[in-house]
Amino acid sequence: MKYTFEVLGVSPILHFFNHQQEIIQKLPEPGVEYVGSYRCTLDSFIQSIETVPPQRGWDLDQVVETVVNFWMNNSEKIQLWKRRLEDAGNENLIVARIADLKALRTTFESLIRD
């Protein structure tokens, strides 16, 4: 299975929590997960990903490798998001999406059909 990781933005904590609840109620694709962190660091995202439910069937080592590769190849983006998070203040999170590529493709295709 191949995975993708992308930092999506900065969000108020309550907004992120509400979004997570909406996703749970809609029975989302099982291969897409949104994670949030108070810090924009590699360690904090790896810790967030380690909380993904094991029933996803993901290879955690591959997922972590995907996040590390993103981190190594996107230093400018990461610095931008670190500044954005600092500017936003303590009541905000940095939000990212981790997904297996097949599930993400299915999610995007369902958006086009709707």
Side-chain angles (χ1 to χ4, degrees):
M1 198 177 312
K2 291 191 174 195
Y3 302 95
T4 180
F5 176 84
E6 185 70 35
V7 176
L8 301 176
V10 174
S11 173
I13 297 167
L14 188 56
H15 181 77
F16 178 72
F17 176 77
N18 287 336
H19 184 262
Q20 291 291 77
Q21 294 305 309
E22 288 174 14
I23 288 173
I24 290 169
Q25 292 173 357
K26 290 181 183 177
L27 300 172
E29 287 296 320
V32 180
E33 205 49 57
Y34 296 90
V35 294
S37 175
Y38 291 103
R39 297 176 299 137
C40 187
T41 65
L42 177 58
D43 289 345
S44 65
F45 275 114
I46 289 173
Q47 287 174 348
S48 294
I49 288 165
E50 289 174 343
T51 65
V52 171
Q55 65 265 29
R56 294 274 191 233
W58 287 356
D59 180 334
L60 188 58
D61 290 337
Q62 280 187 330
V63 172
V64 169
E65 181 180 334
T66 300
V67 175
V68 170
N69 286 338
F70 176 87
W71 221 259
M72 300 301 290
N73 295 316
N74 293 284
S75 62
E76 289 181 20
K77 280 185 184 180
I78 301 222
Q79 291 305 316
L80 170 74
W81 288 119
K82 279 184 180 183
R83 287 190 302 273
R84 289 289 220 28
L85 182 59
E86 288 170 5
D87 291 344
N90 293 338
E91 299 298 317
N92 294 280
L93 299 169
I94 185 86
V95 178
R97 177 187 58 229
I98 185 78
D100 79 63
L101 288 174
K102 185 178 179 183
L104 187 60
R105 182 177 299 120
T106 301
T107 299
F108 288 156
E109 288 173 354
S110 71
L111 291 173
I112 293 171
R113 283 181 288 211
D114 291 344

